Amino acid sequence: MLKKWIPLLGVAAVCGSLSMPQAAKAEQLTLCWAAWDPANALVELSKDFTTKTGIDMKFEFVPWTSYADRFLNELNSRGKLCDLIIGDSQWLGGAAENGHYVKLNDFFAKEGIKMDDFVPATVVGYSEWPKNTPNYWALPAMGDVVGWTYRKDWFERPELQKEFKAKYGWDLDAPKTYDQLKQIAEFFQKREIDGKTIYGASIYTERGSEGITMGVTNVLYDWGFMYENPKKPYDMNGYVNSPDAVKGLEFYKSLYDCCTPPGSSNVYMVESADAFKSGQVAMQMNFAFTWPGLYKDEKVGGDRIGFFPNPAEKYHFAQLGGQGISVVSYSSKRDAALEYIKWFAQPDVQAKWWQLGGYSCLKSVVDAPSFKSSQPYATAFLESMAIVKDFWAEPSYAELLQAMQKRVHDYVIAGKGTAKEALDDLEKDWTQIFKDDGKI
């Protein structure tokens, strides 16, 4: 998803242009992505590509705050900076329909790269346009999904376990449902632990880019919100604003009102991670890419931290993040760029990608018997990727996103109107956008 910020959760992210040491080579490729910890892992991984092929790799990494503007402008102007790009999942529709990406079907067939070898949800989310059709514009590159971390050391304190069991009638543990999560959040809200007042949970509330949408959808999906009629595309009335969707939005506001720290009206990934690292909250919502850095944190990591997938309610889903890697159609080095895609798709390369801190989407990696024990967060990641659902990937996704940001934030954070009014207005906004696009 469109993450407009700079995550510095583990190793410092690399910004600007970066070149690998030159080898004897015919050419050099430039790969464009965001400046964050996984990009550092990709630099390390790509040294093997240079060693194998003699093709030097140059990296153009920009902060998340300018990632979308920088690279969408580059694509829209048909620029030649990027030979390869790891673009957001929501760019796929526009990039495919506007001719920015090379369609990869023939190349995949020629090289024996099978989309069946990748986690199905990542193929739909990162590679396919139109969705659920065998038309591929990217190779799944970086799996990501919204999940949760919790203070395992607090949950395991005998006196808290006893008090919680007496009050709620079940053992204090990672929640399976949102009702359980809210009970835990209420239990910890304004509780004193080790002389410090702590709070229940940190959730996404940010207004400016995509934060509150990436948070609230985890709840809306579970209550029954749907983007459209499964049998009639762009028919949204009664799906976006169904009675169950209204209840889900009301729940998200109730969680915000009851159980978040003071000053939580503009929280996204950095703020949520900071709330957890500072010992301020018992639980925090965040994308899985943050988990390696949090696990390594000296104050809250190691045995102190636990991980769990987005809880269930009537249904069980989680908001997809992550990206695919594409060949830019304006590149004059298309063959070499395709060679990188072929290399990156290999099972041994994907296994090393996971070891270095990337999130592989290849089944042979995530289905390996040793995967669940390879990292303490591997099981939660695997379970989360099995239940993902994504936001619109239409060419007009930016307008669709802006509308949801406004309607949801106005209700949840600003307290304007009712949940039903917010979703009714959102359905009207989206209908108008698709009418303007000629799709209705």
Side-chain angles (χ1 to χ4, degrees), residues 125-299:
Y126 308 153
S127 302
E128 291 180 355
W129 187 261
K131 295 300 180 187
N132 300 302
T133 69
N135 295 283
Y136 307 121
W137 305 89
L139 184 84
M142 175 69 190
D144 206 0
V145 58
V146 174
W148 293 77
T149 63
Y150 69 102
R151 285 298 300 266
K152 187 179 178 184
D153 56 335
W154 294 351
F155 279 46
E156 292 176 346
R157 293 191 179 189
E159 68 277 14
L160 295 182
Q161 288 185 335
K162 183 178 179 181
E163 182 184 344
F164 185 88
K165 182 72 173 283
K167 185 171 184 178
Y168 295 104
W170 58 281
D171 292 331
L172 178 59
D173 200 355
K176 301 295 185 184
T177 69
Y178 264 108
D179 289 332
Q180 291 179 343
L181 184 143
K182 188 176 179 183
Q183 288 179 356
I184 295 171
E186 289 173 337
F187 178 75
F188 280 102
Q189 182 72 359
K190 296 184 179 178
R191 179 175 290 272
E192 187 171 301
I193 292 184
D194 299 333
K196 180 179 179 180
T197 300
I198 61 101
Y199 301 88
S202 178
I203 62 174
Y204 291 168
T205 59
E206 180 260 5
R207 170 70 176 85
S209 62
E210 62 166 17
I212 197 165
T213 298
M214 293 297 97
V216 73
T217 47
N218 294 280
V219 169
L220 291 178
Y221 297 155
D222 280 1
W223 260 258
F225 168 98
M226 298 175 69
Y227 287 101
E228 58 190 344
N229 182 343
K231 298 180 180 179
K232 187 179 178 183
Y234 311 114
D235 175 21
M236 297 170 285
N237 192 25
Y239 296 89
V240 168
N241 54 349
S242 67
D244 284 339
V246 170
K247 291 177 183 176
L249 186 54
E250 290 171 343
F251 179 89
Y252 199 76
K253 178 171 175 55
S254 74
L255 189 60
Y256 169 74
D257 288 342
C258 82
C259 304
T260 56
S264 292
S265 62
N266 196 41
V267 170
Y268 200 16
M269 289 170 277
V270 165
E271 294 82 11
S272 198
D274 285 348
F276 191 81
K277 289 195 293 183
S278 66
Q280 195 176 17
V281 293
M283 298 177 290
Q284 65 117 9
M285 163 189 284
N286 225 327
F287 278 102
F289 89 87
T290 64
W291 295 352
L294 290 171
Y295 180 71
K296 294 175 184 175
D297 189 89
E298 293 182 357
K299 294 181 179 178

Side-chain angles (χ1 to χ4, degrees), residues 39-77:
N40 301 331
L42 189 64
V43 171
E44 184 65 26
L45 182 72
S46 297
K47 292 176 182 178
D48 293 345
F49 175 75
T50 298
T51 299
K52 183 176 181 179
T53 65
I55 298 173
D56 188 34
M57 291 299 296
K58 181 180 178 182
F59 299 91
E60 190 72 21
F61 296 153
V62 301
W64 279 113
T65 45
S66 53
Y67 167 70
D69 288 343
R70 175 71 180 88
F71 291 133
L72 288 177
N73 286 339
E74 178 69 21
L75 294 172
N76 289 330
S77 65

Side-chain angles (χ1 to χ4, degrees), residues 89-100:
S89 56
Q90 276 64 50
W91 301 1
L92 209 53
E97 293 190 11
N98 293 312
H100 299 327

Side-chain angles (χ1 to χ4, degrees), residues 381-440:
F381 172 70
L382 197 59
E383 292 174 353
S384 297
M385 290 302 294
I387 57 170
V388 292
K389 203 169 187 176
D390 201 6
F391 189 74
W392 295 106
E394 296 280 338
S396 294
Y397 92 92
E399 291 84 358
L400 297 164
L401 176 63
Q402 288 165 5
M404 187 162 187
Q405 284 288 107
K406 172 177 170 50
R407 298 302 183 187
V408 172
H409 196 276
D410 280 355
Y411 168 68
V412 173
I413 309 304
K416 296 179 181 179
T418 67
K420 185 178 189 308
E421 289 169 346
L423 293 180
D424 283 346
D425 287 343
L426 178 61
E427 188 273 332
K428 292 173 185 175
D429 293 341
W430 283 356
T431 296
Q432 187 60 52
I433 290 168
F434 286 127
K435 281 183 178 179
D436 292 345
D437 287 347
K439 297 195 172 183
I440 297 178

Side-chain angles (χ1 to χ4, degrees), residues 304-316:
R304 303 178 186 89
I305 190 173
F307 308 88
F308 62 91
N310 193 52
E313 199 59 32
K314 187 176 182 180
Y315 304 96
H316 196 196

